[in-house]
Amino acid sequence: MATKQMNVKSDGFNPDTLSVNKNQDSVHFVQSGQGAPTTVTLSSSALFGQTTCTVDPNTTGTNIYPVLATVTDGDYIVSLPPSPKLTKDSGTINVTG
């Protein structure tokens, strides 16, 4: 199983799109830079079994989310918490079998 990292910034994600394989990969959300949020929201609980994920302050954090085997292939949107700024506040996780 591979762990893929998605860096969470105050104004978006790096990379903006992350490709994962169901039942093989997991995702680790890691804060990147000042003002990065501590949580992100997913468009569906089908991906990890929940819609809110904790963003770790660094790569040694333990909040790693395995992609469920039952998830349907496709794109799942990951969003930052609401902000008064106009920013690129979402990324995509693309799942394939």
Side-chain angles (χ1 to χ4, degrees):
M1 182 185 288
T3 299
K4 309 268 181 107
Q5 182 172 312
M6 188 171 226
N7 295 310
V8 181
K9 304 182 295 184
S10 62
D11 63 350
F13 297 87
N14 182 22
D16 325 4
T17 301
L18 188 67
S19 294
V20 296
N21 290 309
K22 59 184 163 187
N23 204 33
Q24 294 180 28
D25 293 333
S26 57
V27 177
H28 189 194
F29 298 101
V30 178
Q31 290 177 329
S32 179
Q34 271 192 322
T38 57
T39 62
V40 292
T41 304
L42 296 147
S43 58
S44 170
S45 63
L47 188 59
F48 304 128
Q50 60 195 69
T51 55
T52 301
C53 294
T54 299
V55 180
D56 283 324
N58 54 50
T59 57
T60 61
T62 58
N63 293 295
I64 296 172
Y65 300 92
V67 178
L68 300 176
T70 55
V71 67
T72 303
D73 289 2
D75 292 339
Y76 294 83
I77 304 301
V78 183
S79 301
L80 296 175
S83 167
K85 299 177 189 175
L86 283 176
T87 60
K88 183 177 182 349
D89 63 355
S90 66
T92 304
I93 296 177
N94 175 265
V95 177
T96 55

